Amino acid sequence: MITASANSASAWTSRQRLLTALSGGVPDRVPINTYELAGRNSLDWYNIQPSYRGLMDFIRAHTDCITNWNPRTATDRYTCEERFLCSDFPVEMETRKETVGEFERTTSICHTPQGDLQSVTQTTPDIYTTWRVEHWCKTLADVDKALSVPYQPADYDAADFARVRAELEDHGLVMASIGDPAYLAADLMSFQDYLMWASLETTHFARTVDILAGRVMENLRRQLDCCVVDVYRIVGPEYFTPPYLSPAMFKRFIVPHVTEMTRLIQARGGKVRLHCHGRIGRVLDMILETGCDGLDPCEPPPDGDIALDEVKCRCLEKGVSVWGNIELKLLEQGTPDEVRAEVRRIMSQAKEGGGFVLMPTAAPINLPLSPATETNYRVFIETGLEFGKY
């Protein structure tokens, strides 16, 4: 239960609290963020679901918000796939929708200059995710077809930014998400096929990444010219962590491109949070080498391979903030007592010295929201407020 003193007015705003932690400093208390559950964006999926209403009201009242927002491009009026390989070129695309059992399946056919490619995705009404059941590329020849689509730089539109800032006020930060070039290449194929491609046809894979890197950087420059937000989350490095690929591959394909992206964003006044699930222990020094300002979600063993206190110690030396690491499976499957104990343990590992934001490693995607999950979220937030004061 949140007491009156715990919920009393503070001189610190959520915006100040998050920026201080992101910069490695010590705010009034540990910021508490609920990841994709962004309470201050009226258009966010979670804010329009009746079963999430009570939890979202609680989140708005007691946590520090990150509003996820990217400026639109000319092709955003279509599907994500039609903005093909970072290009706004109006590639010809056919789309067919059909119902298959409980799923709505979408088949997309891209007519490239070198031949057709096909992708299949599916959704279901009670789960907030999209499954890709067939990737665009199955062979190296398919990759070459994909790259034959001409590159046309993106034109960005930030008209919606005024609404986002007005709704957020000082209750948090705005964050845009950007895929790194190696991830964008890897995602052309199924995960198994991508690993074979990167491992056995490394020269071809490297050429693809280099081509996409040029596109990513040009689009990033244009996005920053259009509008600079508070934080940029770079996603995708987890595809290159052990045991999938060796640290040498992470060094080759992640570090140089993420470093270049990070330096450009920081030069324009933004901060960078690197998003990397999985086993980061053997690549943590390389992550810090990129110059990022924050790292999430820092999963604990056995899903990760390094304890949070060690992550915090190594990040603190570089002035890099740590975001995490209460796991969603605990919030969905644990008891309130287990959640409370885990939050206390996390605080003991990472609170000291500042530069830490308490945050889950993922967000629920089921409809309706389970009452047990809602209870555990409330306990997680209440315990964070109770033990997070500096």
Side-chain angles (χ1 to χ4, degrees), residues 318-356:
K318 301 290 186 178
V320 175
S321 61
V322 173
W323 300 59
N325 71 344
I326 187 165
E327 294 193 280
L328 177 62
K329 63 184 178 184
L330 176 63
L331 294 171
E332 292 185 325
Q333 302 170 19
T335 67
D337 285 346
E338 289 171 335
V339 172
R340 180 176 172 82
E342 181 67 3
V343 172
R344 292 190 65 178
R345 186 188 67 81
I346 289 170
M347 286 293 192
S348 69
Q349 287 185 309
K351 173 185 173 182
E352 185 177 354
F356 175 63

Side-chain angles (χ1 to χ4, degrees), residues 85 135-144 146-147 181-212 239-240 245 249 252-253:
L85 280 189
H135 284 69
W136 286 114
C137 299
K138 294 83 177 172
T139 65
L140 300 190
D142 285 345
V143 176
D144 293 337
L147 293 174
Y183 159 72
L184 296 175
D187 199 45
L188 285 169
M189 289 189 173
S190 70
F191 195 73
Q192 176 180 322
D193 288 343
Y194 138 67
L195 291 178
M196 298 294 287
W197 177 26
S199 300
L200 302 180
E201 300 288 348
T202 308
T203 299
H204 187 277
F205 182 76
R207 181 175 68 86
T208 303
V209 173
D210 287 343
I211 291 171
L212 293 179
Y239 275 50
F240 291 79
L245 292 174
M249 296 288 269
R252 177 175 180 179
F253 290 112

Side-chain angles (χ1 to χ4, degrees), residues 2 48 55 109 111 121-122 130-131 150 162 180 235 240 281 292 330 360:
I2 295 177
I48 59 178
L55 177 58
I109 299 175
H111 300 296
T121 61
Q122 62 186 28
T130 299
W131 291 275
D180 72 80
V235 301
F240 291 79
C292 62
L330 176 63

